[in-house]
Amino acid sequence: MQIGSILAVFFVIWWLCFVAVLPIGHKSQAEMGEVTAGTDPGAPAAPQLGRKVLLATVLGVIFTALLLWGLTNETLHHYWNR
């Protein structure tokens, strides 16, 4: 695979991981009892986006590496091409 293709695959996998990670540890402002004026009560009280971006990046690297390993593994090629 070319580097551009690998980066495109990583971006798609990263975005899917990020969307999956977003609800982890979510506490709404209404649950915390600290609703800020002018915001939705369901908005997160502490989104912790840095941790979620880091977790999505780690998962994206792992899943991209597994995908690339699977695409280049000779044993799997023989299994898939029966």
Side-chain angles (χ1 to χ4, degrees), residues 23 25-36 39-47:
H26 173 76
K27 298 267 190 205
S28 68
Q29 291 180 14
E31 290 174 337
M32 300 295 286
E34 305 168 357
V35 179
T36 306
T39 62
D40 186 76

Side-chain angles (χ1 to χ4, degrees), residues 2-75:
Q2 296 178 354
I3 189 71
S5 300
I6 293 171
L7 290 175
V9 168
F10 172 74
F11 177 74
V12 171
I13 291 174
W14 181 88
W15 194 253
L16 289 171
C17 290
F18 182 66
V19 170
V21 165
L22 272 178
I24 293 175
H26 173 76
K27 298 267 190 205
S28 68
Q29 291 180 14
E31 290 174 337
M32 300 295 286
E34 305 168 357
V35 179
T36 306
T39 62
D40 186 76
Q48 301 175 350
L49 287 178
R51 292 176 73 193
K52 293 177 182 183
V53 166
L54 181 63
L55 181 58
T57 302
V58 169
L59 290 173
V61 167
I62 291 170
F63 289 141
T64 303
L66 284 172
L67 178 67
L68 292 176
W69 173 78
L71 291 173
T72 59
N73 189 325
E74 287 297 320
T75 304

